[in-house]
Amino acid sequence: MGEPEFTATGVRIGKRLRSLTRAGQVRISDGRLQLLTSYGSEIDSAPVQAVRASKPWFAHEDRASADVNGTRYSLTLGEHDPAPGKPGPPSARRFIEAVHRAAGHGR
């Protein structure tokens, strides 16, 4: 397994109105997107080409959505990237860009 192309920790992951984890992880590695609980258990995963990541138009800047295997997950990341050397999740925009890049859409 290679170095992850994108990793975010401390991510709130939800499905519809239900929160699945408040401190989950999102990882893109070896062409797969993984949604993990705070304990590292897999919530869902799929090849990144089959994932649709977007920014809901009505949501705050720290929100993104990801359609994985036909299920829409809401992700609450950071509103802005953390300062270098500081902890915290990357921005939702950076997550969406990472999914597009890994899928070969080049954005």
Side-chain angles (χ1 to χ4, degrees):
M1 198 188 224
E3 187 71 26
E5 299 154 34
F6 177 86
T7 302
T9 57
V11 178
R12 180 182 293 256
I13 301 172
K15 184 165 66 169
R16 296 193 182 163
L17 296 175
R18 186 171 154 230
S19 177
L20 301 175
T21 183
R22 286 194 242 153
Q25 297 178 41
V26 177
R27 186 179 308 158
I28 299 174
S29 181
D30 296 329
R32 284 190 79 73
L33 172 90
Q34 292 181 301
L35 302 176
L36 306 167
T37 67
S38 55
Y39 299 108
S41 300
E42 187 173 286
I43 295 170
D44 209 343
S45 72
V48 77
Q49 291 86 358
V51 174
R52 204 173 92 219
S54 60
K55 167 105 182 60
W57 64 270
F58 56 85
H60 291 280
E61 286 298 310
D62 61 349
R63 297 273 175 100
S65 67
D67 291 339
V68 182
N69 296 321
T71 303
R72 176 167 284 185
Y73 294 95
S74 62
L75 309 174
T76 305
L77 295 107
E79 192 167 328
H80 304 287
D81 290 329
K86 299 284 185 188
S91 67
R93 178 185 48 76
R94 203 167 116 217
F95 162 72
I96 295 167
E97 290 170 356
V99 170
H100 288 275
R101 224 180 11 261
H105 298 302
R107 272 223 247 174

